[in-house]
């Protein structure tokens, strides 16, 4: 009877609604407002030649990139949900949505809520083909959530937590609550030269250039494509 | 990893730039693309029809025929194309699967031909998209049933030699057509059910008067005869029930089934009546029990398929019936209340209370109209509304329910199917997820085992891991970078690992120190010879965290030891790093040159950074974190370890 009651309620609701509509004389169809999709319009990127000029990819690389891009996003634009979903497929064990949001904001340079192919390829060009300084700049831009030119501890903590989130629950050693915070502290100790609690772009680049590990890992990106 | 997004892997790897500045440890080396081919068009010739696609499109699904190296078997050197001697129509669907990631089932195709093609190309039918999955499953089920029916009719003709007596009996009970004896039994029981039911009915008919008393029902007049009949029927039913109970393959399930409950309920009153005496008090209850004898009529459902279907559809239609009942109840209560208050004023009205008006409302709404309760003028108005609405309320749902029977029957089937499909889909997704994470852990484990093998120098099979595709190795490298950044590692809890390693090392771990020494020595000896090959062969797996020279470690994976030894094993399997103090990377030669190295510190601030692979989920309490005892002065490798062994968390080289 319980199950019946539950299932009875919805036909009852519908019956009541339709009776009301009959009486009130308004048998209009449900007006569902379509959400205004920013990216329903199919977007075509600029021509290959222009992209070749703007980025440092070769023609073939651009072709390969575009084919992959268009396959996942036939409309030509990625919105945040799509972006998160694509990125989460690489990290099945953890929750990558926060980091994906930060990435999305970093790629979406004109802040219109969509990443077009030009944005996508511009970002990739910096990361994969740019100089070390360009890459560090890009990374700084990623960390600087409110784009005010300096990284505060709170911003860094958010980023750190999102990275740790991607690992998921089943790790060894088990993730402790303070691990991100401690990591942020160590980061600031390394980067924040004048100890003013924020890291500016100059401090960031300077500290990174002094760190061999970071320099070496930045070179990893040379062979990604 | 979902193959469809393999094209976005470069993006995901590029996005890892965000981890680099915050990582405290150096990243592992990236897998290199050994034969860096430009993306090329390949031609697939299927029975003369040529399809062309990019090579990377096919490589999206590396576990199918077209995505793996298996297609090389079909490569035709002369024409430089891949030739498949299969159906080109179905191949169109298969190739579209690679292109779009969705597999469709064309309706005009024969289901078994389609299945064969999918099996050939190594594609699981579960991947079929939602749009076509229902159709596919329906057709498949029909086909299976048809095949099964054919098989059954074949089987029925042949004799089954190897059934036991019990199984034969059960078969005879379930399918009366299998043997003559079963048929006879079937008809006899049917006859006796009918006799029993008719007896029950006739028992109550008045049979004429015995002179000197009032009219008696037949049951009391010919009580002996009826009693004999009843006994006979009950005996037959009891024997039948016991035989079924004996023959049932699962007695417990049989007892719980509806039919056996009906059997029991049908024969119990007789036995209870036998047991009880003619006591005045209980005879009233006894009479009630005789009502249950009417349940014998339900025993007919074993004999009639139609009854069973009706019962099932009523059961599945229960919600609609419940709704009808509920709405009727609502209407009854409303009108009864109205009638009661309308009739309240008039004197000598039969509508004494609202429940008393219920009867009037029901009789009026179902258009029976007995006339035992008649309202006055005010009540007549409402009474007429009541009867009109009764017509509507009852007449409307009935055809709907009737048509609902067939619709709900099919719909329930489809709802169950959808639920099962959804479960299957979720299970598939989970499997894919764990598959991808397992693939990563698997490759880690393989890397570990390979090193263990190299260390001990046993000539066992060294080809532990299967060759992973480039995309997989790049994905694993990405996950590995994440581990390095955060200093955590994905858990590998794989008993297989521990078993293998215990095979490799047949030590009796009596003496912890002895063992450690052995390990140190063997690892030291092997150091020059084994390190470089392993470095090159597993580029992503051997750079150690937090050591300037990416050197080694006593790399002994854990084995299945009792807990007391377990801790030492954990420690042995890792380099230990001390958070704030001392350096002894005692297990590496380079450590002998290493002084108290503050340089280590910026890389690994916390002493909890480990990337240990533990094969048994060890209680974390075994590895106390954070505290460290002051190390002894001597830098000798062997003596250092026992003292520091107990408290420092070690880091393993992957």
């Amino acid at each position: 009877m319980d199950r019946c009651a539950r299932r009875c309620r919805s036909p009852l609701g519908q019956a009541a609604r339709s009776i009301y509509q009959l009486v009130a004389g308004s048998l209009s169809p449900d007006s569902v407002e379509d959400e205004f999709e920013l990216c329903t319009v199919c977007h075509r990127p600029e021509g290959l030649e222009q992209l070749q000029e703007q980025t440092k990819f070769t023609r073939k690389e651009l072709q390969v990139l575009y084919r992959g891009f268009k396959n996942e996003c036939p409309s030509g634009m990625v919105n945040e949900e799509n972006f998160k979903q694509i990125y989460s497929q690489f990290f099945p064990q953890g929750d990558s949505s926060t980091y994906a949001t930060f990435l999305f904001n970093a790629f979406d340079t004109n802040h219109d809520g969509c990443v077009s192919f030009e944005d996508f390829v511009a970002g990739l060009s910096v990361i994969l083909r740019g100089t070390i300084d360009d890459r560090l700049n890009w990374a700084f831009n990623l960390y600087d959530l409110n784009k005010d030119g300096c990284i505060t501890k709170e911003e860094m903590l958010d980023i750190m937590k999102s990275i740790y989130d991607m690992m998921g629950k089943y790790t060894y050693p088990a993730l402790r609550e303070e691990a991100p915070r401690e990591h942020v502290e160590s980061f600031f100790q390394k980067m924040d030269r004048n100890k003013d609690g924020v890291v500016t772009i100059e401090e960031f680049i300077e500290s990174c250039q002094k760190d061999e590990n970071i320099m070496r890992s930045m070179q990893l990106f040379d062979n990604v494509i | 990893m979902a193959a469809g997004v393999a094209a976005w892997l470069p993006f995901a790897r590029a996005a890892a730039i965000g981890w680099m500045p915050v990582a405290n440890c150096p990243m592992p080396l990236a897998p290199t693309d050994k034969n860096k081919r430009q993306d090329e068009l390949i031609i697939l010739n299927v029975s003369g029809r040529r399809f062309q696609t990019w090579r990377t499109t096919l490589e999206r699904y590396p576990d199918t025929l077209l995505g793996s190296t298996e297609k090389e078997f079909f490569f035709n050197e002369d024409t430089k194309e891949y030739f498949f001697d299969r159906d080109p129509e179905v191949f169109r669907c298969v190739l579209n699967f690679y292109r779009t990631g969705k597999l469709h089932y064309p309706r005009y195709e024969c289901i078994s031909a389609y299945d064969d093609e999918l099996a050939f190309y190594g594609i699981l039918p579960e991947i079929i998209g939602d749009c076509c999955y229902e159709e596919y499953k329906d057709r498949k089920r029909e086909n299976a049933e048809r095949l099964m029916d054919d098989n059954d009719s074949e089987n029925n003709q042949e004799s089954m030699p190897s059934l036991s007596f019990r199984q034969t009996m059960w078969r005879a009970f379930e399918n009366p057509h299998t043997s003559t004896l079963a048929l006879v039994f079937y008809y006899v029981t049917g006859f006796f059910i009918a006799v029993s039911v008719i007896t029950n009915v006739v028992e109550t008919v008045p049979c004429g008067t015995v002179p000197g008393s009032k009219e008696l029902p037949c049951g009391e007049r010919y009580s002996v005869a009826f009693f004999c009949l009843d006994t006979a029927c009950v005996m037959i039913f009891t024997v039948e029930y016991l035989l079924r109970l004996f023959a049932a393959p699962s007695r417990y399930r049989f007892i719980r089934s509806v039919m056996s409950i009906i059997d029991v309920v049908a024969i119990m009153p007789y036995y209870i009546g036998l047991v009880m005496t003619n006591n005045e008090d209980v005879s009233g209850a006894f009479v009630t029990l005789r009502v249950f004898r009417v349940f014998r009529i339900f025993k007919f459902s074993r004999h009639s398929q139609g009854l069973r279907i009706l019962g099932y559809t009523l059961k599945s239609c229960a919600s609609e019936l419940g709704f009808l009942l509920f709405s009727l109840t609502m209407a009854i209560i409303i009108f009864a209340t109205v009638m009661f208050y309308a009739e309240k004023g008039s004197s000598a009205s039969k509508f004494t209370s609202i429940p008393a008006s219920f009867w009037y409302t029901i009789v009026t709404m179902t258009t029976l109209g007995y006339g035992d309760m008649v309202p006055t003028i005010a009540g007549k108005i409402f009474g007429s509304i009541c009867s009109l609405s009764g017509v509507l309320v009852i007449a409307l749902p009935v055809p709907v329910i009737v048509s609902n029977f067939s619709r709900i029957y099919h719909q329930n089937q489809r709802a169950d199917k959808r639920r099962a499909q959804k479960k299957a889909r979720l299970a598939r997704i989970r499997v894919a997820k764990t598959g991808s994470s397992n693939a990563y852990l698997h490759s880690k484990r393989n890397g570990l085992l390979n090193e263990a093998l190299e260390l001990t120098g046993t000539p066992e099979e060294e080809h532990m891991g299967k060759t992973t595709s480039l995309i997989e190795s790049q994905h694993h490298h990405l996950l590995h970078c994440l581990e390095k950044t955060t200093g955590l590692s994905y858990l590998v809890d794989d008993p297989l690992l521990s078993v293998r390693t215990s095979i490799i090392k047949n030590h009796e771990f009596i003496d912890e120190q002895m063992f450690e020494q052995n390990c140190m020595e063997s690892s030291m000896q092997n150091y020059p010879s084994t390190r470089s090959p392993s470095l090159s062969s597993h580029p992503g797996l051997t750079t150690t965290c937090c050591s300037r020279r990416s050197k080694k470690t006593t790399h002994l994976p854990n084995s299945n030891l009792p807990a007391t030894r377990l801790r030492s094993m954990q420690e042995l399997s890792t380099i230990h790093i001390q958070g704030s103090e001392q350096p002894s990377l005692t297990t590496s030669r380079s450590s002998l040159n290493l002084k108290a190295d503050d340089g280590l510190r910026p890389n690994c601030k916390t002493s909890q950074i480990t990337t240990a692979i533990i094969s048994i989920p060890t209680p974390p309490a075994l590895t106390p974190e954070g505290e460290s005892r002051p190390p002894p002065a001597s830098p000798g490798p062997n003596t250092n370890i026992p003292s520091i062994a107990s408290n420092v968390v070690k880091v393993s080289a992957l």
Side-chain angles (χ1 to χ4, degrees):
Chain A
M1 191 54 209
D2 175 39
R3 206 187 72 217
C4 173
R6 240 184 296 132
R7 286 161 77 172
C8 286
R9 231 178 278 137
S10 66
L12 264 184
Q14 282 173 8
R17 213 179 302 132
S18 45
I19 288 178
Y20 169 72
Q21 278 180 350
L22 178 68
V23 168
S26 56
L27 276 178
S28 56
D30 294 356
S31 55
V32 176
E33 293 202 28
D34 290 352
E35 276 188 10
F36 177 65
E37 278 257 3
L38 279 176
C39 314
T40 43
V41 179
C42 180
H43 176 94
R44 291 209 172 77
E46 308 169 6
L48 256 184
E49 290 74 22
Q50 283 162 301
L51 281 177
Q52 259 183 288
E53 285 169 30
Q54 289 169 6
T55 68
K56 303 200 183 97
F57 287 119
T58 67
R59 197 179 173 92
K60 273 212 180 280
E61 288 169 345
L62 283 173
Q63 283 177 337
V64 169
L65 279 174
Y66 187 68
R67 284 207 296 268
F69 183 85
K70 180 105 180 156
N71 204 41
E72 273 307 304
C73 322
S75 64
M77 304 278 255
V78 197
N79 60 6
E80 196 168 326
E81 273 317 303
N82 250 353
F83 199 85
K84 279 196 214 177
Q85 194 212 347
I86 293 173
Y87 198 65
S88 69
Q89 299 195 349
F90 295 103
F91 300 97
Q93 278 194 345
D95 171 29
S96 57
S97 52
T98 333
Y99 188 70
T101 311
F102 297 144
L103 274 180
F104 184 81
N105 291 333
F107 270 96
D108 184 17
T109 40
N110 51 359
H111 303 291
D112 59 354
C114 279
V115 167
S116 68
F117 184 64
E118 289 98 340
D119 298 333
F120 180 70
V121 128
L124 279 187
S125 163
V126 170
I127 300 175
L128 301 179
R129 296 277 184 271
T131 64
I132 301 255
D133 275 353
D134 288 341
R135 292 175 187 170
L136 290 175
N137 250 316
W138 202 92
F140 183 85
N141 191 40
L142 173 70
Y143 294 150
D144 186 12
L145 299 178
N146 54 1
K147 314 287 178 239
D148 62 353
C150 51
I151 308 177
T152 63
K153 279 200 181 162
E154 284 73 31
E155 290 174 341
M156 206 56 221
L157 189 60
D158 286 339
I159 301 255
M160 201 63 76
K161 277 205 206 132
S162 69
I163 295 181
Y164 275 86
D165 280 344
M166 279 197 280
M167 286 293 294
K169 289 188 295 194
Y170 302 105
T171 59
Y172 183 81
L175 178 62
R176 295 167 310 126
E177 289 292 318
E178 322 80 58
R181 191 169 284 281
E182 288 172 10
H183 207 150
V184 170
E185 290 301 324
S186 76
F187 176 80
F188 265 78
Q189 255 190 320
K190 188 168 41 162
M191 300 277 166
D192 192 9
R193 297 280 148 170
N194 54 0
K195 306 291 175 208
D196 58 353
V198 293
V199 175
T200 62
I201 178 86
E202 297 84 21
E203 288 175 342
F204 182 73
I205 296 192
E206 208 188 315
S207 314
C208 287
Q209 281 173 343
K210 294 218 176 66
D211 188 339
E212 232 184 80
N213 276 333
I214 297 183
M215 286 289 118
R216 210 178 317 142
S217 50
M218 284 294 168
Q219 285 164 1
L220 269 182
F221 294 102
D222 290 334
N223 298 327
V224 168
I225 289 195
Chain B
M1 177 179 66
V5 290
W8 282 66
L9 186 61
F11 154 70
R13 300 182 68 208
I17 194 175
W19 312 338
M20 302 296 149
V22 298
N24 292 333
C25 312
M27 293 291 136
L29 295 175
T32 49
D33 192 351
K34 293 176 198 66
N35 40 352
K36 187 157 188 168
R37 291 180 296 226
Q38 289 291 345
D39 201 8
E40 56 187 56
L41 275 178
I42 61 177
I43 304 177
L44 301 159
N45 184 347
V46 182
S47 300
R49 204 188 298 181
R50 282 185 175 71
F51 297 87
Q52 290 184 328
T53 181
W54 297 107
R55 182 175 290 276
T56 47
T57 309
L58 291 183
E59 282 169 2
R60 282 197 201 137
Y61 296 95
D63 54 351
T64 58
L65 185 153
L66 291 173
S68 63
T69 52
E70 198 183 340
K71 63 177 183 284
E72 301 303 325
F73 284 104
F74 298 92
F75 188 67
N76 187 348
E77 293 294 338
D78 310 323
T79 53
K80 296 278 183 254
E81 57 188 25
Y82 293 89
F83 180 75
F84 295 96
D85 202 7
R86 312 286 302 191
D87 186 3
E89 299 293 327
V90 180
F91 188 78
R92 203 174 52 82
C93 300
V94 167
L95 196 53
N96 278 338
F97 166 62
Y98 286 89
R99 292 177 179 140
T100 62
K102 292 196 203 93
L103 181 63
H104 296 282
Y105 168 61
R107 276 153 215 245
Y108 54 82
E109 272 306 322
C110 165
I111 185 76
S112 49
Y114 188 71
D115 268 344
D116 286 342
E117 294 296 313
L118 284 188
F120 177 80
Y121 292 109
I123 297 175
L124 296 175
E126 278 67 38
I127 299 184
I128 292 182
D130 286 341
C131 40
C132 301
Y133 195 59
E134 218 176 283
E135 168 89 18
Y136 173 79
K137 277 294 184 194
D138 282 346
R139 295 273 290 268
K140 194 150 184 194
R141 198 171 28 94
E142 270 178 42
N143 203 34
E145 281 169 8
R146 195 175 314 130
L147 287 176
M148 220 167 48
D149 282 347
D150 287 346
N151 278 349
D152 272 354
S153 58
E154 276 179 34
N155 281 348
N156 282 345
Q157 282 144 23
E158 22 174 292
S159 63
M160 311 281 277
S162 56
L163 284 182
S164 72
F165 174 63
R166 188 173 152 186
Q167 283 171 324
T168 331
M169 230 167 57
W170 180 249
R171 249 186 90 221
F173 279 136
E174 295 298 297
N175 308 326
H177 308 286
T178 45
S179 70
T180 329
L181 188 59
L183 211 56
V184 163
F185 185 77
Y186 175 76
Y187 283 126
V188 161
T189 45
F191 173 70
F192 272 98
I193 294 174
V195 161
S196 163
V197 168
I198 292 174
T199 313
N200 286 344
V201 166
V202 168
E203 239 179 13
T204 57
V205 172
C207 244
T209 59
V210 167
S213 69
K214 63 175 174 54
E215 186 139 4
L216 280 177
C218 285
E220 290 182 25
R221 191 149 163 210
Y222 303 106
S223 57
V224 178
F226 278 104
F227 181 73
C228 291
L229 263 179
D230 202 23
T231 311
C233 293
V234 169
M235 271 189 2
I236 302 260
F237 296 152
T238 316
V239 162
E240 182 207 353
Y241 180 70
L242 289 174
L243 280 179
R244 274 182 204 265
L245 187 63
F246 167 68
S250 158
R251 297 217 172 100
Y252 177 61
R253 215 156 40 101
F254 174 73
I255 289 182
R256 284 192 318 175
S257 71
V258 175
M259 287 313 302
S260 83
I261 292 178
I262 289 178
D263 288 340
V264 169
V265 167
I267 60 182
M268 277 327 263
Y270 176 80
Y271 288 110
I272 296 180
L274 276 186
V275 167
M276 285 197 313
T277 59
N278 255 342
N279 202 345
E280 290 300 317
D281 300 335
V282 296
S283 64
F286 177 59
V287 166
T288 322
L289 271 182
R290 302 187 79 157
V291 167
F292 285 101
R293 291 188 305 173
V294 80
F295 274 80
R296 288 176 197 170
I297 204 169
F298 285 114
K299 288 167 69 71
F300 265 128
S301 64
R302 274 217 184 89
H303 295 72
S304 156
Q305 176 85 341
L307 262 184
R308 280 206 293 268
I309 289 180
L310 181 66
Y312 177 73
T313 49
L314 277 179
K315 199 165 48 134
S316 67
C317 205
S319 70
E320 315 312 290
L321 288 175
F323 171 61
L324 171 63
L325 211 59
F326 183 65
S327 61
L328 270 179
T329 313
M330 252 183 33
I332 287 171
I333 293 178
I334 291 172
F335 279 108
T337 313
V338 167
M339 290 306 297
F340 173 70
Y341 283 110
E343 288 291 303
K344 208 159 178 229
S346 65
S347 57
S349 91
K350 293 239 175 83
F351 296 81
T352 50
S353 65
I354 293 186
S357 325
F358 278 167
W359 175 246
Y360 171 77
T361 317
I362 292 176
V363 164
T364 313
M365 280 183 90
T366 54
T367 68
L368 282 176
Y370 287 135
D372 53 349
M373 290 162 85
V374 182
T376 56
I377 299 210
K380 276 189 179 137
I381 300 174
F382 295 110
S384 46
I385 299 178
C386 176
S387 66
L388 284 176
S389 68
V391 168
L392 281 176
V393 168
I394 295 202
L396 274 182
V398 166
V400 172
I401 285 188
V402 164
S403 75
N404 268 3
F405 272 179
S406 64
R407 186 176 61 82
I408 286 165
Y409 183 78
H410 291 297
Q411 213 177 45
N412 268 4
Q413 302 268 43
R414 255 181 254 130
D416 286 335
K417 257 191 282 173
R418 242 179 276 130
R419 247 176 274 132
Q421 283 171 25
K422 185 170 175 203
K423 260 194 256 178
R425 199 142 305 168
L426 289 177
R428 260 185 287 142
I429 292 175
R430 237 178 296 130
V431 162
K433 271 195 174 178
T434 55
S436 75
S437 52
N438 276 346
Y440 175 56
L441 300 174
H442 186 85
S443 71
K444 258 171 108 170
R445 171 166 49 96
N446 283 342
L448 199 58
L449 276 175
N450 274 337
E451 292 187 19
L453 289 170
E454 286 160 13
L455 268 182
T456 62
T458 49
E460 289 188 22
E461 59 262 46
E462 307 208 329
H463 47 274
M464 272 298 302
K466 57 182 172 79
T467 48
T468 52
S469 69
L470 180 67
I471 288 188
E472 268 194 52
S473 62
Q474 286 179 345
H475 187 214
H476 293 169
H477 173 252
L478 185 66
L479 291 174
H480 197 200
C481 284
L482 182 60
E483 285 185 343
K484 283 279 153 66
T485 310
T486 56
L488 309 168
S489 81
Y490 289 107
L491 266 183
V492 178
D493 53 344
D494 190 351
L496 195 58
L497 178 62
S498 49
V499 166
R500 281 208 71 91
T501 57
S502 61
I503 292 174
I504 294 171
K505 295 231 141 254
N506 303 332
H507 293 302
E508 301 283 84
F509 301 103
I510 305 171
D511 185 1
E512 176 177 339
Q513 269 179 315
M514 270 281 287
F515 180 78
E516 287 162 358
Q517 282 176 8
N518 283 342
C519 298
M520 293 318 119
E521 283 154 24
S522 67
S523 56
M524 295 284 233
Q525 283 161 13
N526 289 336
Y527 171 65
S529 53
T530 58
R531 193 35 49 173
S532 31
S534 58
L535 261 182
S536 60
S537 58
H538 303 281
L541 302 174
T542 56
T543 48
T544 65
C545 177
C546 305
S547 67
R548 288 300 173 102
R549 313 134 182 73
S550 57
K551 289 350 167 236
K552 71 111 26 141
T553 134
T554 46
H555 198 91
L556 292 168
N558 293 327
S559 56
N560 236 332
L561 286 181
T564 52
R565 292 285 167 225
L566 199 56
R567 202 163 137 197
S568 64
M569 285 314 295
Q570 270 169 250
E571 294 153 354
L572 286 174
S573 74
T574 57
I575 304 179
H576 59 268
I577 294 216
Q578 301 206 358
S580 46
E581 12 213 320
Q582 221 331 258
S584 31
L585 284 183
T586 60
T587 57
S588 75
R589 279 212 185 150
S590 56
S591 70
L592 295 178
N593 301 330
L594 206 59
K595 302 192 235 331
D597 197 335
D598 280 356
L600 275 183
R601 239 189 281 158
N603 293 341
C604 315
K605 285 277 171 173
T606 64
S607 59
Q608 291 88 5
I609 295 182
T610 72
T611 47
I613 294 186
I614 311 286
S615 63
I616 301 173
T618 60
L622 281 183
T623 60
E625 298 169 344
E627 40 161 308
S628 49
R629 278 187 277 143
S634 66
N638 292 340
T639 53
N640 252 347
I641 289 196
S643 56
I644 306 180
S646 55
N647 59 350
V648 180
V649 176
K650 314 283 175 83
V651 174
S652 82
L654 289 173

